[in-house]
Amino acid sequence: YNQIIKIGSSTENEYAAGLSFEFNPAFKLGFEGKGNYTSGKHYLGPTLSLASEKAWVNLGIVKGTSVNADQIQARLLMGIFI
């Protein structure tokens, strides 16, 4: 990956990390952290993943841990196996 930054342009520095524990192939619990160094927004929270033979769903809710961050963010991802 190569990114060219023009002189005078602005950049943002973000991060994301997580871990999960598989209770069985259909059920996982996890924890994630994400944020933005540029704006000073940082978040932490749990995730839940459910899967079947044909589809999966992941729900994550994070809470802001810094003054600049939103109080709560939620994300729902769904997929099908093809």
PDB file of all heavy atoms in Angstrom, residues 12-16 34-39:
ATOM      1  N   GLU A  12      -5.333  11.823   8.936  1.00  0.00           N
ATOM      2  CA  GLU A  12      -5.886  11.367  10.205  1.00  0.00           C
ATOM      3  C   GLU A  12      -5.236  10.043  10.561  1.00  0.00           C
ATOM      4  O   GLU A  12      -4.996   9.213   9.688  1.00  0.00           O
ATOM      5  CB  GLU A  12      -7.403  11.198  10.102  1.00  0.00           C
ATOM      6  CG  GLU A  12      -8.128  12.507  10.008  1.00  0.00           C
ATOM      7  CD  GLU A  12      -9.619  12.363  10.248  1.00  0.00           C
ATOM      8  OE1 GLU A  12     -10.030  11.367  10.883  1.00  0.00           O
ATOM      9  OE2 GLU A  12     -10.358  13.236   9.817  1.00  0.00           O
ATOM     10  N   ASN A  13      -4.972   9.844  11.833  1.00  0.00           N
ATOM     11  CA  ASN A  13      -4.348   8.621  12.314  1.00  0.00           C
ATOM     12  C   ASN A  13      -5.325   7.881  13.216  1.00  0.00           C
ATOM     13  O   ASN A  13      -5.676   8.367  14.281  1.00  0.00           O
ATOM     14  CB  ASN A  13      -3.063   8.952  13.080  1.00  0.00           C
ATOM     15  CG  ASN A  13      -2.065   9.672  12.206  1.00  0.00           C
ATOM     16  OD1 ASN A  13      -1.686   9.170  11.164  1.00  0.00           O
ATOM     17  ND2 ASN A  13      -1.680  10.862  12.606  1.00  0.00           N
ATOM     18  N   GLU A  14      -5.767   6.705  12.753  1.00  0.00           N
ATOM     19  CA  GLU A  14      -6.744   5.920  13.493  1.00  0.00           C
ATOM     20  C   GLU A  14      -6.159   4.565  13.868  1.00  0.00           C
ATOM     21  O   GLU A  14      -5.169   4.121  13.282  1.00  0.00           O
ATOM     22  CB  GLU A  14      -7.998   5.719  12.642  1.00  0.00           C
ATOM     23  CG  GLU A  14      -8.695   7.021  12.307  1.00  0.00           C
ATOM     24  CD  GLU A  14      -9.930   6.819  11.457  1.00  0.00           C
ATOM     25  OE1 GLU A  14     -10.047   5.751  10.819  1.00  0.00           O
ATOM     26  OE2 GLU A  14     -10.780   7.712  11.439  1.00  0.00           O
ATOM     27  N   TYR A  15      -6.800   3.897  14.813  1.00  0.00           N
ATOM     28  CA  TYR A  15      -6.393   2.556  15.204  1.00  0.00           C
ATOM     29  C   TYR A  15      -7.621   1.728  15.552  1.00  0.00           C
ATOM     30  O   TYR A  15      -8.694   2.262  15.838  1.00  0.00           O
ATOM     31  CB  TYR A  15      -5.438   2.594  16.405  1.00  0.00           C
ATOM     32  CG  TYR A  15      -6.104   3.068  17.675  1.00  0.00           C
ATOM     33  CD1 TYR A  15      -6.690   2.159  18.549  1.00  0.00           C
ATOM     34  CD2 TYR A  15      -6.167   4.420  17.994  1.00  0.00           C
ATOM     35  CE1 TYR A  15      -7.320   2.592  19.713  1.00  0.00           C
ATOM     36  CE2 TYR A  15      -6.786   4.853  19.147  1.00  0.00           C
ATOM     37  CZ  TYR A  15      -7.355   3.935  19.999  1.00  0.00           C
ATOM     38  OH  TYR A  15      -7.983   4.347  21.147  1.00  0.00           O
ATOM     39  N   ALA A  16      -7.476   0.416  15.499  1.00  0.00           N
ATOM     40  CA  ALA A  16      -8.527  -0.515  15.919  1.00  0.00           C
ATOM     41  C   ALA A  16      -7.854  -1.817  16.333  1.00  0.00           C
ATOM     42  O   ALA A  16      -6.910  -2.273  15.691  1.00  0.00           O
ATOM     43  CB  ALA A  16      -9.514  -0.764  14.791  1.00  0.00           C
ATOM     44  N   LYS A  34     -11.097   1.122  19.627  1.00  0.00           N
ATOM     45  CA  LYS A  34     -10.813   1.860  18.399  1.00  0.00           C
ATOM     46  C   LYS A  34     -10.725   3.332  18.729  1.00  0.00           C
ATOM     47  O   LYS A  34     -11.145   3.764  19.800  1.00  0.00           O
ATOM     48  CB  LYS A  34     -11.886   1.609  17.345  1.00  0.00           C
ATOM     49  CG  LYS A  34     -13.254   2.154  17.704  1.00  0.00           C
ATOM     50  CD  LYS A  34     -14.238   1.904  16.587  1.00  0.00           C
ATOM     51  CE  LYS A  34     -15.525   2.674  16.827  1.00  0.00           C
ATOM     52  NZ  LYS A  34     -16.353   2.739  15.641  1.00  0.00           N
ATOM     53  N   GLY A  35     -10.154   4.080  17.826  1.00  0.00           N
ATOM     54  CA  GLY A  35     -10.057   5.502  18.087  1.00  0.00           C
ATOM     55  C   GLY A  35      -9.357   6.263  16.992  1.00  0.00           C
ATOM     56  O   GLY A  35      -8.972   5.716  15.964  1.00  0.00           O
ATOM     57  N   ASN A  36      -9.192   7.537  17.242  1.00  0.00           N
ATOM     58  CA  ASN A  36      -8.589   8.460  16.294  1.00  0.00           C
ATOM     59  C   ASN A  36      -7.627   9.353  17.067  1.00  0.00           C
ATOM     60  O   ASN A  36      -8.048  10.130  17.921  1.00  0.00           O
ATOM     61  CB  ASN A  36      -9.692   9.278  15.616  1.00  0.00           C
ATOM     62  CG  ASN A  36      -9.179  10.183  14.548  1.00  0.00           C
ATOM     63  OD1 ASN A  36      -8.222  10.909  14.738  1.00  0.00           O
ATOM     64  ND2 ASN A  36      -9.830  10.155  13.396  1.00  0.00           N
ATOM     65  N   TYR A  37      -6.347   9.224  16.762  1.00  0.00           N
ATOM     66  CA  TYR A  37      -5.344  10.052  17.445  1.00  0.00           C
ATOM     67  C   TYR A  37      -5.483  11.524  17.086  1.00  0.00           C
ATOM     68  O   TYR A  37      -5.229  12.399  17.902  1.00  0.00           O
ATOM     69  CB  TYR A  37      -3.930   9.592  17.081  1.00  0.00           C
ATOM     70  CG  TYR A  37      -3.564   8.222  17.589  1.00  0.00           C
ATOM     71  CD1 TYR A  37      -3.231   7.205  16.704  1.00  0.00           C
ATOM     72  CD2 TYR A  37      -3.537   7.950  18.943  1.00  0.00           C
ATOM     73  CE1 TYR A  37      -2.886   5.953  17.163  1.00  0.00           C
ATOM     74  CE2 TYR A  37      -3.206   6.703  19.413  1.00  0.00           C
ATOM     75  CZ  TYR A  37      -2.878   5.716  18.519  1.00  0.00           C
ATOM     76  OH  TYR A  37      -2.539   4.478  18.975  1.00  0.00           O
ATOM     77  N   THR A  38      -5.902  11.807  15.856  1.00  0.00           N
ATOM     78  CA  THR A  38      -5.997  13.186  15.387  1.00  0.00           C
ATOM     79  C   THR A  38      -7.076  13.963  16.131  1.00  0.00           C
ATOM     80  O   THR A  38      -6.862  15.085  16.567  1.00  0.00           O
ATOM     81  CB  THR A  38      -6.271  13.214  13.873  1.00  0.00           C
ATOM     82  OG1 THR A  38      -5.287  12.419  13.205  1.00  0.00           O
ATOM     83  CG2 THR A  38      -6.213  14.629  13.332  1.00  0.00           C
ATOM     84  N   SER A  39      -8.259  13.356  16.283  1.00  0.00           N
ATOM     85  CA  SER A  39      -9.368  14.050  16.943  1.00  0.00           C
ATOM     86  C   SER A  39      -9.445  13.760  18.440  1.00  0.00           C
ATOM     87  O   SER A  39     -10.222  14.390  19.150  1.00  0.00           O
ATOM     88  CB  SER A  39     -10.697  13.662  16.285  1.00  0.00           C
ATOM     89  OG  SER A  39     -10.957  12.287  16.491  1.00  0.00           O
TER      90      SER A  39
END
